[in-house]
């Protein structure tokens, strides 16, 4: 089936880098994630990826244990750089051509984030991995993903998670939770539905960027989404 998108931005959380215990870097799991991303790129879709860092450190959680919030957030951004490098390695082992662009300058390991350069890489069919979120503390990589999606002109923001979409309550705690196939930005924010942070949703709302939230652990799902199958939850106007 032909893809319905030319250029997409995929947000993957740090969890996609971790094993069963949800912490650290698990090379087997990353390899699986990389295989699924490579499939999408091979289908001819220009693919940007934003990596989270929550498998290593989350600013809010570390701050609640006494670390300075801004310092903890910078550590979280650096964690996302580590994930980006691990993902780059796994993708290149699949045969993909990739570039890591970092919002924090670490020129020995990644290119600085320059919008026009990112677009050029995408046009050439390279998978662009955006690291270090927005480069600012007090944000999340969800917001970084919304920002990068807009900057590079992605047609959709894809958010891969461990659940099948957006529910009215946590499906891992409440088996009767109801899944939304579609939800508006406004309702998402009003009901405080979680899964994706409010700043990211607002940014997409202001710029009319559709979001698809879906289960990335199911093999083939990313490809199905880019081929236009309606899986997960679509957030839009
Ligand atoms: N972070 C930040 N600014 C950003 C992006 C991330 O300060 O623009 C920090 C923040 O502390 C966050 C951590 O990096 O908790 C890891 O990112 P995130 O929680 O978004 O990762 P995920 O939950 O997707 O694995």
């Amino acid at each position: 089936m032909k893809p319905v998108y030319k250029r997409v931005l995929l947000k993957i959380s740090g969890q996609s880098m971790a094993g069963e215990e949800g912490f650290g870097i698990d090379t087997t799991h990353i390899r699986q994630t990389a295989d699924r991303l490579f499939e999408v790129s091979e289908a001819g879709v220009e693919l940007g990826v934003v990596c989270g860092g929550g498998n290593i450190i989350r600013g809010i959680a570390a701050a609640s244990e006494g670390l300075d919030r801004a310092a903890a957030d910078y550590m979280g951004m650096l964690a996302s750089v580590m994930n980006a490098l691990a993902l780059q390695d796994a993708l290149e082992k699949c045969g993909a051509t990739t570039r890591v662009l970092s919002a924090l300058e670490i020129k020995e390991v990644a290119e600085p984030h320059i919008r026009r350069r990112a677009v050029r890489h995408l046009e050439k069919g390279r998978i662009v991995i955006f690291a270090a979120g927005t480069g600012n503390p007090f944000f999340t990589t969800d917001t970084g993903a919304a920002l990068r999606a807009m900057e590079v002109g992605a047609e959709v923001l894809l958010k891969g998670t461990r659940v099948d979409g957006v529910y009215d309550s946590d499906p891992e705690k409440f088996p009767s939770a109801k899944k939304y196939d579609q939800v508006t930005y406004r309702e998402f924010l009003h009901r405080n539905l979680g899964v994706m942070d409010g700043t990211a949703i607002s940014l997409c709302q202001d710029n009319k960027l559709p979001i698809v939230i879906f289960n990335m652990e199911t093999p083939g799902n990313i490809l199905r989404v880019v081929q236009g199958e309606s899986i997960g939850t679509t957030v839009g106007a």
Side-chain angles (χ1 to χ4, degrees), residues 11 13-14 52-54 57-59 73 76-77 133-134 136-141:
K11 159 70 207 293
S13 73
I57 182 170
R58 279 210 174 84
D73 279 341
M77 288 183 259
T134 64
N136 300 290
F138 303 100
F139 285 93
T140 66
T141 52

Side-chain angles (χ1 to χ4, degrees), residues 183-203:
V183 64
T184 61
Y185 304 111
R186 192 191 291 258
E187 193 176 356
F188 193 108
L189 292 168
H190 178 70
R191 289 181 178 263
N192 200 11
L193 288 172
V195 187
M196 194 155 196
D197 79 67
T199 313
I201 300 284
S202 299
L203 203 54

Side-chain angles (χ1 to χ4, degrees), residues 9-11 50 133-134 140-154 156-158 196-205 207 209-211:
L9 195 297
L10 172 70
K11 159 70 207 293
V50 166
T134 64
T140 66
T141 52
D142 280 357
T143 304
L147 185 64
R148 297 295 178 241
M150 249 96 68
E151 278 190 273
V152 301
V156 66
L157 171 58
L158 308 177
M196 194 155 196
D197 79 67
T199 313
I201 300 284
S202 299
L203 203 54
C204 292
Q205 179 177 29
N207 295 282
L209 180 74
I211 309 165

